[in-house]
Amino acid sequence: MIYIDIKYANMLLPRLDKWSVKRQMPYLANGRCPYCGDSTKNKFTRRGYILQKSSLNYLLYYCHKCGKSTTLSKMLSETNPDLYKDYRVEMIKESSGGG
């Protein structure tokens, strides 16, 4: 259900620092890492990425500074619990055929 991941990634990005979508297909977004904060010297450094791998049906997060690597689902739960709750409800509805 990659389209749900993309929907929630797009909802999360405005709530994070300096994030923007670079490409829709395959999905790629870039911004400041919410875990390590990137550079303290340069506020424009953006080393965090949310990306879609063609072999997977979900989005991944990776930071080139701190090395944090996780799924979008886990990132949502750690950075925005309220949005994560809505994400889980929608995923459950979709998996049970109620979408």
Side-chain angles (χ1 to χ4, degrees):
M1 293 173 265
I2 189 75
Y3 62 93
I4 295 174
D5 273 20
I6 291 171
K7 174 184 174 181
Y8 278 86
N10 288 331
M11 291 169 67
L12 178 66
L13 296 187
R15 301 170 191 206
L16 299 175
D17 193 22
K18 307 247 185 302
W19 278 84
S20 62
V21 175
K22 301 297 182 187
R23 192 175 58 224
Q24 285 294 331
M25 288 306 263
Y27 191 85
L28 177 67
N30 172 243
R32 290 178 63 80
C33 178
Y35 298 99
C36 71
D38 277 325
S39 174
T40 55
K41 293 179 186 173
N42 185 348
K43 296 293 181 194
F44 295 100
T45 302
R46 303 182 325 166
R47 296 185 187 126
Y49 290 88
I50 296 174
L51 56 115
Q52 176 184 359
K53 290 200 123 187
S54 59
S55 60
L56 301 175
N57 199 23
Y58 53 89
L59 295 178
L60 299 172
Y61 173 79
Y62 183 76
C63 175
H64 283 283
K65 181 180 182 204
C66 67
K68 177 73 173 181
S69 178
T70 188
T71 62
L72 177 73
S73 174
K74 184 73 171 167
M75 181 187 179
L76 276 170
S77 73
E78 295 170 347
T79 61
N80 197 315
D82 292 333
L83 193 57
Y84 176 70
K85 289 176 189 172
D86 296 340
Y87 170 84
R88 289 299 305 151
V89 167
E90 193 160 340
M91 289 296 276
I92 291 167
K93 281 183 185 177
E94 186 63 30
S95 65
S96 66

